[in-house]
Amino acid sequence: MDLTVQDVDRFEASRPRLEAIAYRLLGSASEAEDAVQDTFLRWQAADADRIEVPEAWLTKVLTNLCLNQLTSARARRETYVGQWLPEPLLAGDSMLGPAETAEQRESVSYAVLTLMERLSPNERAVYVLREAFGHSHREIAEILDITESAGQQIFHRAKKHIAEGKPRTEVDEAATRRIVEEFLTAATSGRTEPLVRLLTEDAVSVGDGGGKVPARAKAFEGALAVATFMRGLFKPGKAKRALVGGSPGVYVTTANGAPAIVAVFEGRVIGIMCLEITAEGIAAILNQVNPDKLERATQRWAATGGHGDPLFNAF
């Protein structure tokens, strides 16, 4: 049925929240946009006058669409070329959603989004709705068509899985940014030892090229292996310049609420490196270079402007 202007306005008022939920559930901005658009189509087909609480109805429809997507995504990722990482979002992106509480900020951090890939679709939905958006267990039960007690059990299980994979201690933002800058200095020094000192013994490095940009199929594990790879990655070379088309500028900015390294060539973001930093050192380096997962970041980079000169030009 045709929507009135008021019906469209109702939906648009909910769009930012719906996008933020979908992004946390799917780890992909483009898939989140598709899920929200499918939700709008269902809103368009529904009798809006008979829906008592539009926001609750929209949240239920969107969540269940995302659950279907997560189920099929598991099958697709079994055939994904190389490692799969979430799509990083630069600072100020509306899809990052609310960031008033520690729980909200944590739920969209790159480390937690990566950890959430280990959860079942239901665990991920319950965790996001409860931890990031403050839904009661009763509301979550209604959204997922489960009992309230089942929802509580799922939440405790999901939270336990996330807690087991998170860094044991947090580092404040100023210290984190300083460590990122120290990392870049070490990575461009041409020596392995300074990098090893910054890494934890069990550090890992994961790259997602999606089969479109060269990236190792398996993660590098251990401080020495990661440091050796990073030294080589930042070493200048004709082949790297030929692959990119030139020498990209390297910046330290913010992605998913934490300092990150961004490589930009001719206005296009070609890589975002997110570092998981603990009190013991850098525990993980997650490098997104799949161009399909950098389109939104490129748009955001162009829209914000005023980035100044890069710290240096790579390669």
Side-chain angles (χ1 to χ4, degrees), residues 39-61:
T39 302
F40 175 75
L41 294 176
R42 282 159 176 74
W43 174 250
Q44 188 177 37
D47 186 349
D49 291 335
R50 300 186 66 179
I51 298 174
E52 294 182 7
V53 186
E55 188 174 79
W57 187 92
L58 292 169
T59 301
K60 181 180 177 72
V61 170

Side-chain angles (χ1 to χ4, degrees), residues 247-271:
S247 297
V250 176
Y251 300 79
V252 175
T253 185
T254 302
N256 291 73
I261 298 163
V262 178
V264 182
F265 180 69
E266 295 183 345
R268 178 170 54 91
V269 174
I270 63 167

Side-chain angles (χ1 to χ4, degrees), residues 18 30 39 44 61 72 75 83 88 92 101 111 114 166 173-174 192 197 199 215 218 221 231 238 294 305 312 314:
L18 295 174
S30 59
T39 302
Q44 188 177 37
V61 170
S72 62
Q83 300 282 327
T101 68
T114 303
K166 280 182 353 188
E173 185 176 339
T192 304
R197 288 196 294 269
L199 300 166
K218 293 184 178 180
E221 299 180 353
R231 183 193 64 190
K238 291 182 179 179
L294 295 171
F312 60 89

Side-chain angles (χ1 to χ4, degrees), residues 59-240:
T59 301
K60 181 180 177 72
V61 170
L62 173 80
T63 301
N64 282 283
L65 285 169
C66 288
L67 285 174
N68 292 337
Q69 182 76 359
L70 283 170
T71 301
S72 62
R74 289 197 163 204
R76 289 202 313 276
R77 285 170 196 169
E78 289 179 0
T79 60
Y80 190 81
V81 179
Q83 300 282 327
W84 188 97
L85 289 174
E87 179 176 347
L89 298 180
L90 298 181
D93 194 309
S94 61
M95 201 171 277
L96 290 170
E100 286 78 25
T101 68
E103 291 79 12
Q104 289 171 339
R105 291 189 295 273
E106 184 178 82
S107 70
V108 80
S109 71
Y110 206 64
V112 169
L113 283 178
T114 303
L115 284 171
M116 280 200 282
E117 286 298 304
R118 305 177 185 178
L119 304 181
S120 70
N122 262 13
E123 286 174 340
R124 188 163 183 163
V126 171
Y127 181 83
V128 167
L129 292 171
R130 178 67 176 165
E131 198 78 345
F133 294 91
H135 282 277
S136 68
H137 286 296
R138 179 182 58 80
E139 290 170 333
I140 292 171
E142 292 174 355
I143 290 170
L144 299 178
D145 292 324
I146 57 177
T147 65
E148 191 170 336
S149 61
Q152 290 173 330
Q153 291 174 0
I154 292 171
F155 174 69
H156 291 308
R157 190 163 62 242
K159 197 166 184 179
K160 182 175 182 289
H161 290 327
I162 294 294
E164 288 172 350
K166 280 182 353 188
R168 292 181 294 278
T169 53
E170 296 183 359
V171 182
D172 66 72
E173 185 176 339
T176 297
R177 187 177 182 90
R178 185 177 66 252
I179 292 170
V180 172
E181 292 172 349
E182 289 175 359
F183 167 81
L184 282 173
T185 299
T188 54
S189 69
R191 296 186 296 124
T192 304
E193 295 79 7
L195 278 168
V196 171
R197 288 196 294 269
L198 289 171
L199 300 166
T200 62
E201 289 185 8
D202 57 351
V204 297
S205 174
V206 180
D208 179 351
K212 300 185 177 183
V213 173
R216 193 168 187 259
K218 293 184 178 180
F220 289 93
E221 299 180 353
L224 182 58
V226 172
T228 302
F229 169 66
M230 286 296 148
R231 183 193 64 190
L233 180 65
F234 282 92
K235 184 178 180 180
K238 291 182 179 179
K240 296 173 189 173

